[in-house]
Amino acid sequence: MSKDVQRPASLPAADGERLMRCMSMVMHHEEVQALVEVVERLLIEQLAAADQSEGELS
Amino acid sequence: MTTWDNVVTQQVDLPSAPAVVHQLTALMAQEEVGSSEIARIVETDQAFTARTLKLVNSPFYGFTRQITSVDEAVAMLGTGTLQQLLLATSVVSSLGTDSSALPMDDFWMHCFSVGVIAKHLLENQSTETQNEAFMCGVLHDIGRLLFVKMDADRYARFYDGGSSVIDLAKETQWFGANHQEMGQVLAQKWNFPASFATAIAYHHNPEDAPQSPKLVAAIHIADISCHALHLGRSGNEYVSSFSPPAWKNLALTSQTFEARLRRSLVEIGETESMIRNIR
């Protein structure tokens, strides 16, 4: 029934925390596992892209 | 009259729909709508005409030349799209608040993003259905605006008090009705199509919707995706669960869902400019 969200090693801690805050509060049913994984993947990509553009600016 | 109808009518001075909304919703009920009829309605209101042209000329549509008349706008966008956008524009301008309890830019960003994703989730359906999905996405949280109009301080305290996950029962405890019920009453008062009222009333529990199951499912999945992806903000900090029946109802593979979500994100990037222009 539930899914533990793991912080990907490639993400900085603050982003990882944001990801987990987003995705781990609720129980995920097996039936929507694929859906959750897609949203998680896109969120990770967005966070990484934001970090990269911040890094380029600084 | 239902309990929440009473609550809403006793506690909130429900705004009346602008005349232009009445006329547009009446037109939407007709099968064939002529571009001149829409243009005539828009042109009766000078401020509305100005807003429409500003919107059509925003970078969201990317027209290379300036659109200078409503007739031209109708010709470029098509009657269906323009009709829906005009309705969205009038709702945004009528219901917006200046309260810090619900920052409007973030709020409309969330609502428009839900509209864009919902439209893409149904992109294998008719254009009419996709337009409907976009509009229902834009309107799905209008009940929250009524909470703010009712008592902005109370609304702020409700979300400061740790109500970070959607809790309809707690909303009812605090406000006498939840934001779905509030929105439904307004949608009915403003004579929106029945499918709009249903999507507003069931977007957190799509499996209970008495009609338009695919449309409600699309709004539900789009809403949660927006919360997860931090596309705007409507109040809740944490992400709710996806409804398995709603996901099943859309009958999408995860690959199709991902492709549609990616297309939506590109469009949402462009939507920001439209939201700045619509207010």
Side-chain angles (χ1 to χ4, degrees):
Chain A
M1 278 288 279
S2 67
K3 173 179 181 293
D4 290 327
V5 176
Q6 301 291 323
R7 178 167 74 83
S10 59
L11 275 186
D15 285 347
E17 211 172 280
R18 186 173 149 196
L19 171 70
M20 286 190 282
R21 196 179 60 190
C22 269
M23 306 303 290
S24 64
M25 276 296 289
V26 292
M27 298 290 280
H28 292 136
H29 296 264
E30 290 296 339
E31 299 98 301
V32 293
Q33 188 63 38
L35 177 59
V36 171
E37 282 170 8
V38 168
V39 174
E40 264 183 32
R41 186 157 57 244
L42 292 186
L43 177 60
I44 290 168
E45 280 179 23
Q46 284 194 334
L47 292 170
D51 283 338
Q52 196 183 351
S53 60
E54 258 179 42
E56 283 167 4
L57 282 175
S58 60
Chain B
M1 192 180 257
T2 58
T3 312
W4 63 82
D5 276 337
N6 288 323
V7 169
V8 172
T9 46
Q10 279 166 19
Q11 295 194 28
V12 192
D13 182 17
L14 275 181
S16 302
V20 82
V21 171
H22 274 310
Q23 291 167 322
L24 285 171
T25 43
L27 263 191
M28 284 168 72
Q30 296 174 15
E31 284 194 8
E32 294 286 328
V33 182
S35 56
S36 58
E37 287 172 89
I38 293 184
R40 209 180 314 128
I41 289 177
V42 174
E43 284 163 355
T44 55
D45 184 328
Q46 211 176 0
F48 203 63
T49 303
R51 223 171 26 239
T52 302
L53 292 176
K54 195 174 166 192
L55 178 65
V56 173
N57 285 303
S58 73
F60 182 74
Y61 290 104
F63 293 129
T64 49
R65 63 182 180 80
Q66 188 83 0
I67 310 295
T68 54
S69 71
V70 178
D71 271 330
E72 209 180 349
V74 177
M76 297 297 277
L77 291 178
T79 50
T81 304
L82 191 70
Q83 228 176 333
Q84 306 272 2
L85 280 172
L86 294 176
L87 197 51
T89 311
S90 51
V91 169
V92 169
S93 60
S94 312
L95 289 179
T97 79
D98 290 328
S99 170
S100 59
L102 187 61
M104 286 294 100
D105 278 349
D106 286 348
F107 178 75
W108 289 120
M109 184 66 203
H110 168 73
C111 297
F112 275 81
S113 300
V114 171
V116 171
I117 295 178
K119 182 185 77 173
H120 279 282
L121 289 178
L122 299 181
E123 69 185 28
N124 57 335
Q125 309 278 311
S126 67
T127 308
E128 191 189 334
T129 304
Q130 292 177 49
N131 281 338
E132 196 178 19
F134 174 70
M135 273 307 297
C136 289
V138 172
L139 299 172
H140 78 284
D141 265 344
I142 52 174
R144 291 182 192 272
L145 293 172
L146 294 182
F147 281 160
V148 177
K149 280 191 180 292
M150 196 163 114
D151 189 338
D153 289 341
R154 195 173 175 76
Y155 184 84
R157 283 202 307 280
F158 180 71
Y159 282 103
D160 284 347
S163 192
S164 50
V165 177
I166 187 76
D167 186 340
L168 298 176
K170 196 171 169 191
E171 282 183 4
T172 304
Q173 241 176 4
W174 273 61
F175 301 102
N178 67 51
H179 74 277
Q180 297 194 131
E181 294 161 345
M182 289 280 207
Q184 185 184 25
V185 171
L186 186 69
Q188 287 165 345
K189 181 182 159 77
W190 282 22
N191 292 320
F192 286 160
S195 58
F196 286 29
T198 303
I200 291 167
Y202 293 95
H203 64 273
H204 289 293
N205 48 319
E207 56 282 354
D208 298 331
Q211 60 177 29
S212 312
K214 221 177 243 308
L215 174 70
V216 184
I219 302 300
H220 170 81
I221 301 287
D223 184 28
I224 296 177
S225 301
C226 282
H227 280 298
L229 294 169
H230 288 254
L231 298 169
R233 192 177 150 80
S234 69
N236 298 110
E237 185 73 12
Y238 293 95
V239 183
S240 315
S241 303
F242 287 107
S243 155
W247 175 233
K248 198 172 166 194
N249 207 320
L250 287 181
L252 299 176
T253 63
S254 61
Q255 289 85 356
T256 311
F257 174 66
E258 182 165 349
R260 292 182 186 186
L261 200 49
R262 284 185 188 282
R263 280 198 285 280
S264 305
L265 290 175
V266 171
E267 194 173 323
I268 287 165
E270 295 156 356
T271 302
E272 275 194 270
S273 68
M274 184 171 82
I275 295 169
R276 277 195 295 274
N277 280 284
I278 207 170
R279 292 184 60 202

